[in-house]
Amino acid sequence: MKITKVYTKTGDQGETSIIGGKRVRKSCERLEAYGTVDELSAHLGLLASMLPEGGDKDMIIRIQNNLFSVCSNLATDQSQTPLYDSAKLADGEIESLEVEIDKIMQLFTERQGFVLPGGAQAAAQAHVCRTVCRRAERRIVVLSEIAQVSPEILQYVNRLSDYLFVLAKKININTGVSEIIWQKVCR
């Protein structure tokens, strides 16, 4: 897709068009949802730039591609516009995250309790991605209370935050950086 013009001036009054052409306020729940997913994708791009070539980096790029579909899905008012195929997650993407989570979980020898986000720089960035992902999930839930949201979208984003949590732990293990365990005792 060739971009011919970056600015259109059509959003200068605080409105934008969603898929199907409907104009909405830039403060609406729909834009909050897909805007936060877009923010997550940008954070994932930073994480990918920190990772060596190979499996984890490839998985992050795959996730970024999926998040474009998630954004397209959320940017479609399904009560007025049918979903384009590009706005649908491919079959098996949720399961793909689950497989990756299960593989990473096998690396952990013991349960450590709650960890403070951090460690190696890439692990810390994975934690930033995880928290932005959780915020995106909350924004999608708000949208789902007033508009139709495909159920697999919420499932995918929920599973993605779990993946990012275990990926951060894996990065710390691989780099030999110890995690800091939360010391407060719950009573």
Side-chain angles (χ1 to χ4, degrees), residues 29-92:
E29 292 87 349
R30 185 173 303 282
L31 266 73
E32 278 294 322
Y34 76 74
T36 307
V37 173
D38 185 38
E39 180 184 349
L40 170 59
S41 184
H43 279 290
L44 287 167
L46 179 57
L47 175 59
S49 75
M50 298 174 179
L51 296 174
E53 296 299 323
D56 292 333
K57 185 173 191 167
D58 293 343
M59 186 64 177
I60 294 299
I61 292 168
R62 177 179 180 171
I63 290 165
Q64 285 183 291
N65 277 291
N66 285 334
L67 291 180
F68 260 85
S69 296
V70 170
C71 284
S72 295
N73 190 297
L74 296 173
T76 304
D77 181 347
Q78 295 182 47
S79 70
Q80 297 184 10
T81 305
L83 286 176
Y84 294 114
D85 287 340
S86 61
K88 299 174 185 174
L89 283 173
D91 289 340

Side-chain angles (χ1 to χ4, degrees), residues 12-151:
D12 290 350
Q13 300 302 311
E15 290 189 346
T16 192
S17 295
I18 60 173
I19 294 174
K22 180 180 174 184
R23 301 286 295 170
V24 297
R25 295 293 300 164
K26 290 183 176 182
S27 60
C28 78
E29 292 87 349
R30 185 173 303 282
L31 266 73
E32 278 294 322
Y34 76 74
T36 307
V37 173
D38 185 38
E39 180 184 349
L40 170 59
S41 184
H43 279 290
L44 287 167
L46 179 57
L47 175 59
S49 75
M50 298 174 179
L51 296 174
E53 296 299 323
D56 292 333
K57 185 173 191 167
D58 293 343
M59 186 64 177
I60 294 299
I61 292 168
R62 177 179 180 171
I63 290 165
Q64 285 183 291
N65 277 291
N66 285 334
L67 291 180
F68 260 85
S69 296
V70 170
C71 284
S72 295
N73 190 297
L74 296 173
T76 304
D77 181 347
Q78 295 182 47
S79 70
Q80 297 184 10
T81 305
L83 286 176
Y84 294 114
D85 287 340
S86 61
K88 299 174 185 174
L89 283 173
D91 289 340
E93 289 302 322
I94 295 167
E95 293 78 9
S96 174
L97 286 175
E98 292 170 348
V99 166
E100 289 299 314
I101 292 167
D102 292 342
K103 284 196 293 190
I104 294 171
M105 288 296 294
Q106 292 175 7
L107 301 174
F108 308 149
T109 57
E110 60 188 53
R111 185 170 175 239
Q112 296 180 330
F114 292 109
V115 297
L116 300 181
Q121 187 175 17
Q125 181 60 29
H127 279 296
V128 170
C129 292
R130 174 186 57 79
T131 61
V132 174
C133 187
R134 285 289 188 208
R135 180 161 38 91
E137 182 181 14
R138 293 189 303 271
R139 301 286 39 107
I140 294 167
V141 168
V142 168
L143 177 61
S144 74
E145 292 170 353
I146 60 167
Q148 182 180 348
V149 173
S150 302

